[in-house]
Amino acid sequence: MNKPVQPMSSLSLKLPKPDRSIETYRLAASRTFPVKLEGPLNRIAFSAVHTVADPLAENDPWLSAAVDWDKTIAFREHVWDLGLGVAEAMDTAQRGMGLDWPTSLELMTRSVGAAKRRNALVFSGAGTDHLAVEDAKTIDDVIRAYEEQISAVEKVGGRIILMASRALAKLGRSADDYAKVYDRVLSQVRDPVIIHWLGDMFDPALSGYWGTKDLDKAMDIAVAIINGNVAKVDGVKVSLLDKQREIDMRRRLDKRIRMYTGDDFNYAELIAGDEQGFSHALLGIFDAIAPAASYALSRLAAGDVAGFHDVLGPTVPLSRHIFKAPTRFYKTGVVFMAYLNGHQDHFTMVGGQESTRSTLHLAELFRLADKAGLLANPELATQRMKTVLATHGIEP
């Protein structure tokens, strides 16, 4: 249970404001969430989790990934303790944006092994990112690339999240092209997969996915392909940041197929659902808010809808800030939250992506995380925020 609300914190620090002034920000009352799952859940919830970079590796961060494997797996254990599943080696982990295919496969191998030791839930991303877009000449090239990654993930005992393909976005011109790829690939998978429809706000190279830039037509094509392969599809993750499109698609899917919300702007209401159904969750923001998400979901399962919204509702402004345009830079905010909350000892990212958000962005993230009660140790978080600000010229 949440601890009683404490009096206003005595902690404060100097934070920059958009008008270039510096304010003395005083932290809000603390709120503590359980570090392990409290009670069963009635939603399946995955956290798309980040990888922890090795800050002491001798490498060129823009060119190669160096991973701290111990801290990376420890973070997954933190998520599993909270009753959440892990969605492995997806864009939150900087897949295709710093994390290459060989390192992704090693990550999935380690994660699947750790999950088996705990009897925990993990699905892993299979895509075509080892096939350079410029080298993809035919639809059959895309199919072979998917087959190679699926085979590798299944070989290490993994379940599949079928990721969107940049190569297919380049070559696919019609519904028939997409049907050919998905029908062929899905016919071969060992277990039902989660299909990921990732919008171009997350990856501009996926513009026009499903063969058209008209989202209504794209929805028609996707639904037809997915419902046509119902025996091979566990569910669909939609990442379009458009709640009505998700609801519309959810209602059109075969009833045996789950909808996993990927909407980091509207997840609370989509998970709660309506009289016609609800969404499960597969969210990058659950990396940053895992304890609150776990507790909120346990309240929902217990029939305490008000308690669910009381916990999860205040996290939405933070999520909308972290995922603001350019949305593809959201990983910086996720990793910064992990640093503030003590899951890693540094603010260094795969690909050097710690530089993609401004000092003002990080300062506002701190304010919103504090207001939502998401700073697990306010003293530690404050000290770490001061350290980062000092490197940006703002002295404590």
Side-chain angles (χ1 to χ4, degrees):
M1 295 291 292
N2 287 350
K3 291 182 179 178
V5 174
Q6 303 297 316
M8 184 66 72
S9 171
S10 61
L11 291 169
S12 65
L13 73 168
K14 295 177 180 177
L15 292 177
K17 298 172 65 177
D19 64 2
R20 306 182 72 86
S21 66
I22 304 295
E23 70 166 345
T24 297
Y25 177 79
R26 192 169 301 280
L27 275 70
S30 62
R31 193 175 192 183
T32 303
F33 299 105
V35 296
K36 293 186 181 295
L37 176 64
E38 290 202 348
L41 303 182
N42 61 358
R43 303 287 190 270
I44 300 171
F46 287 92
S47 169
V49 288
H50 73 285
T51 48
V52 181
D54 179 356
L56 301 180
E58 179 60 46
N59 74 314
D60 297 302
W62 283 21
L63 302 178
S64 61
V67 178
D68 182 332
W69 293 115
D70 290 341
K71 289 287 188 181
T72 293
I73 295 302
F75 189 80
R76 281 135 184 81
E77 291 170 341
H78 155 70
V79 169
W80 287 323
D81 282 345
L82 291 162
L84 306 179
V86 163
E88 190 57 271
M90 299 186 69
D91 52 305
T92 308
Q94 294 170 248
R95 176 78 176 271
M97 309 168 201
L99 198 71
D100 59 19
W101 165 239
T103 311
S104 298
L105 182 57
E106 182 174 359
L107 173 60
M108 290 183 278
T109 302
R110 290 173 179 263
S111 189
V112 168
K116 286 181 177 177
R117 291 191 292 273
R118 287 172 155 259
N119 194 29
L121 181 62
V122 59
F123 274 53
S124 301
T128 67
D129 49 311
H130 65 294
L131 172 65
V133 172
E134 61 271 19
D135 293 336
K137 306 302 182 184
T138 69
I139 293 296
D140 285 336
D141 291 338
V142 177
I143 292 172
R144 282 190 291 270
Y146 267 129
E147 289 172 339
E148 181 177 340
Q149 290 204 10
I150 289 168
S151 175
V153 176
E154 290 186 340
K155 186 176 180 180
V156 301
R159 292 286 302 273
I160 301 293
I161 299 170
L162 199 64
M163 300 173 69
S165 165
R166 291 174 177 171
L168 181 54
K170 170 196 171 186
L171 296 171
R173 293 290 180 268
S174 66
D176 288 344
D177 288 338
Y178 281 81
K180 178 180 179 181
V181 172
Y182 279 88
D183 289 350
R184 182 85 63 81
V185 169
L186 289 171
S187 71
Q188 301 175 63
V189 295
R190 183 182 61 207
D191 300 302
V193 307
I194 297 172
I195 291 177
H196 190 190
W197 180 0
L198 187 67
D200 58 9
M201 69 287 295
F202 288 91
D203 185 349
L206 297 176
S207 177
Y209 210 73
W210 303 110
T212 176
K213 292 187 177 182
D214 183 324
L215 284 177
D216 292 331
K217 293 179 180 178
M219 181 76 74
D220 292 341
I221 294 166
V223 169
I225 291 171
I226 293 163
N227 283 347
N229 288 279
V230 64
K232 294 291 189 174
V233 180
D234 170 271
V236 180
K237 169 179 163 64
V238 178
S239 299
L240 298 177
L241 302 182
D242 184 331
K243 68 178 180 180
Q244 193 56 52
R245 288 191 185 279
E246 178 177 317
I247 292 168
D248 292 344
M249 188 176 191
R250 186 171 76 196
R251 293 173 179 171
R252 294 175 62 183
L253 290 174
D254 186 286
K255 297 303 181 186
R256 291 166 286 181
I257 296 174
R258 299 181 179 95
M259 171 61 74
Y260 292 92
T261 186
D263 189 335
D264 298 279
F265 285 3
N266 304 291
Y267 50 91
E269 58 188 293
L270 290 164
I271 293 168
D274 56 31
E275 66 282 355
Q276 296 187 50
F278 59 83
S279 295
H280 299 275
L282 200 165
L283 290 160
I285 193 58
F286 275 14
D287 179 300
I289 67 167
S294 171
Y295 183 69
L297 290 166
S298 73
R299 298 316 307 151
L300 183 65
D304 181 8
V305 177
F308 166 81
H309 286 294
D310 174 64
V311 173
L312 211 57
T315 71
V316 173
L318 171 68
S319 187
R320 290 181 177 180
H321 179 71
I322 288 175
F323 285 80
K324 69 185 293 187
T327 301
R328 64 187 183 276
F329 295 148
Y330 78 88
K331 279 80 70 175
T332 302
V334 166
V335 174
F336 192 58
M337 282 291 293
Y339 170 64
L340 292 177
N341 280 328
H343 294 293
Q344 53 193 77
D345 298 326
H346 56 84
F347 180 40
T348 305
M349 294 178 63
V350 170
Q353 294 251 324
E354 63 272 15
S355 65
T356 65
R357 293 296 200 186
S358 69
T359 308
L360 283 172
H361 182 91
L362 298 180
E364 183 62 11
L365 181 155
F366 184 91
R367 293 184 187 96
L368 293 170
D370 172 55
K371 290 173 182 175
L374 296 172
L375 300 178
N377 181 333
E379 291 82 1
L380 176 67
T382 299
Q383 184 55 53
R384 290 188 165 188
M385 187 74 220
K386 288 179 178 179
T387 299
V388 170
L389 289 172
T391 68
H392 293 211
I394 301 170
E395 296 299 330

